[in-house]
Amino acid sequence: MTEVSSLTGRLLVAAPALADPNFDRAVVLLLDHDEEGSLGVVLNRPTPVGVGDILESWAGLTGEPDVVFQGGPVSLDSALGVAVIPGDEGPLGWRRVHGAIGLVDLEAPPELVAAALGSLRIFAGYAGWGPGQLETELTEGAWYVVESEPGDVSSPRPERLWRAVLRRQRSELAMIATYADDPSLN
């Protein structure tokens, strides 16, 4: 078995040719990546459902837009809280994933993390890959792997995140940000 280099905390940016409609122009934050598989959340799929509609106690702690995001096609009936908490020490109810980004225990009282929050997003569902599955997709060119920034989690304009992440790259990836939504119209 070959060793898997962890991509935890990095972003997967969907290549324009990725055919899966679940991931069209998706930006996925990888929350876990090892030899057992990968798990992440799609950062740019807001839903019309308000956070207060499903997790009333967490309403008002999320940034704009104050809605639940579709984290991916797996377990849409479960919720994940992803928060940015600056500093070296995180509060109870928060587990660091990478840098200032971590997971919030949504069963814990919101008061445990509220004062420390830099930003918070709630996701319904997640994106998951079995052992070796993501590596195969990367080899096939379905995803670009880039560094995440804490602001990606709480982008106030999630519909522009795909282009924004690509545009900030210091490589030929920046050019892909100009790729037409429908190339047949060129």
Side-chain angles (χ1 to χ4, degrees), residues 38-68:
S38 305
L39 181 141
V41 290
V42 179
L43 297 177
N44 57 336
R45 295 281 192 275
T47 72
V49 179
V51 171
D53 295 340
I54 61 163
L55 291 169
E56 187 176 341
S57 62
W58 291 94
L61 293 177
T62 58
E64 289 299 320
D66 187 22
V67 298
V68 175

Side-chain angles (χ1 to χ4, degrees), residues 95-177:
R95 180 179 61 85
R96 185 178 314 278
V97 170
H98 179 77
I101 300 168
L103 289 168
V104 173
D105 178 359
L106 296 174
E107 300 292 322
E111 306 80 52
L112 288 178
V113 297
L117 278 177
S119 65
L120 171 67
R121 276 272 154 81
I122 305 296
F123 297 90
Y126 62 90
W129 294 265
Q133 185 180 3
L134 178 58
E135 288 72 21
T136 299
E137 291 182 18
L138 292 172
T139 301
E140 293 170 350
W143 301 98
Y144 307 117
V145 179
V146 300
E147 294 297 325
S148 64
E149 294 181 2
D152 295 334
V153 172
S154 59
S155 172
R157 307 291 301 266
E159 71 281 359
R160 294 185 180 178
L161 190 60
W162 185 83
R163 290 189 193 282
V165 168
L166 288 171
R167 195 173 294 120
R168 74 178 183 229
Q169 302 310 307
R170 297 181 186 269
S171 66
E172 62 277 356
L173 287 181
M175 294 291 291
I176 295 170

Side-chain angles (χ1 to χ4, degrees), residues 23-34:
F23 298 110
D24 181 45
R25 304 272 170 129
V27 177
V28 178
L29 172 65
L30 282 174
L31 300 171
D32 192 23
H33 176 254
D34 58 26

